[in-house]
Amino acid sequence: MNQISLTIDGKRIQCEEGLTILEAARSQGIDIPTICYHESLTPPGLCRQCVVEVKGARVLLPSCITEVKDGMVVETSSPRVMRARRTILEMLSASADLSEAPDLKKQIDTLQAQTERFKPKVPNIQEPLIDNPFYIRDYGKCILCGKCVQVCSEEVQLSYALTVAGRGFDSRIATFYNRPLPETSCVFCGNCIEVCPTGALKPRKEFENEI
């Protein structure tokens, strides 16, 4: 693999061609926060929390899916980048319960995000779905990162029990035709629970112990 040179946060580095900016930065110990990214899954580039500023680019670019280029100049924490990340967290806080999302709470603290900035007129309160003996689905905590759908698909489990239903503001994680999980192809492997960053999916026993 060819080696290329680029500059990240003023530091000149060399890395393999074909890496993403996120991979190149992390190889140098430069932290870029993520939400929908998981190192074992195909980067979906959904959440935009990993955006960076690339010299010459009109818009901020998601570092998880943008490949490095020779001579590229990248800023991972410019004021513009930090403002974008802070706004994303503020909007997520308005749309979902993040009380069981430790990584996101850490990012909120670090970026000093104002979680009341976009306070919704009607809080997103939903009763957890309990339709099987193994785990619950609490979509009031879901931020639509899509990791659960990815691990349920050809990327890991090949079950295809979970999907993204609806469009736009009505998008949501669901089963096909909103069937109860025991009536779907779910094998209750638990992979979706492992990758859920907010506690929207959790073991039923853990949920019942919290009540």
Side-chain angles (χ1 to χ4, degrees):
M1 190 70 75
N2 294 332
Q3 293 283 312
I4 64 170
S5 298
L6 69 155
T7 302
I8 302 180
D9 291 346
K11 182 180 180 181
R12 189 77 169 171
I13 70 167
Q14 286 194 328
C15 68
E16 290 183 356
E17 189 178 33
L19 291 183
T20 64
I21 294 174
L22 178 65
E23 292 170 329
R26 288 187 170 179
S27 73
Q28 299 298 313
I30 299 171
D31 181 51
I32 297 177
T34 59
I35 298 175
C36 68
Y37 175 83
H38 190 287
E39 58 275 9
S40 299
L41 302 173
T42 304
L46 289 174
C47 70
R48 293 299 197 266
Q49 188 65 353
C50 67
V51 291
V52 295
E53 191 161 9
V54 176
K55 187 176 182 180
R58 183 177 60 85
V59 297
L60 299 177
L61 301 178
S63 64
C64 68
I65 57 173
T66 303
E67 291 189 4
V68 294
K69 295 186 183 305
D70 193 47
M72 183 180 265
V73 178
V74 180
E75 291 289 338
T76 70
S77 56
S78 68
R80 185 182 175 198
V81 166
M82 303 301 268
R83 185 169 60 250
R85 291 177 185 159
R86 189 162 49 244
T87 301
I88 288 169
L89 292 169
E90 291 167 347
M91 294 180 76
L92 285 178
S93 297
S95 62
D97 174 5
L98 304 182
S99 62
E100 297 185 41
D103 289 343
L104 292 183
K105 290 169 75 174
K106 184 177 179 181
Q107 290 186 34
I108 287 171
D109 291 341
T110 301
L111 290 167
Q112 298 181 321
Q114 303 300 312
T115 56
E116 299 293 316
R117 182 180 176 195
F118 300 113
K119 189 174 183 179
K121 292 181 180 177
V122 180
N124 180 21
I125 298 175
Q126 302 181 40
E127 288 295 322
L129 288 173
I130 305 174
D131 58 11
N132 67 87
F134 304 109
Y135 66 88
I136 63 101
R137 294 176 283 157
D138 186 353
Y139 289 139
K141 293 184 172 67
C142 180
I143 57 171
L144 289 173
C145 68
K147 292 178 185 174
C148 56
V149 176
Q150 280 188 284
V151 295
C152 198
S153 70
E154 70 275 7
E155 295 210 29
V156 179
Q157 190 60 37
L158 292 165
S159 291
Y160 302 99
L162 296 175
T163 186
V164 178
R167 303 178 67 179
F169 287 112
D170 294 324
S171 298
R172 64 194 184 283
I173 303 300
T175 60
F176 286 97
Y177 301 108
N178 282 322
R179 295 280 191 182
L181 275 175
E183 296 178 17
T184 70
S185 53
C186 178
V187 295
F188 300 100
C189 62
N191 285 323
C192 55
I193 295 175
E194 289 297 318
V195 298
C196 179
T198 63
L201 301 170
K202 68 169 59 173
R204 182 168 175 173
K205 187 173 183 180
E206 179 182 333
F207 172 74
E208 291 175 342
N209 287 338
E210 293 172 349
I211 297 175

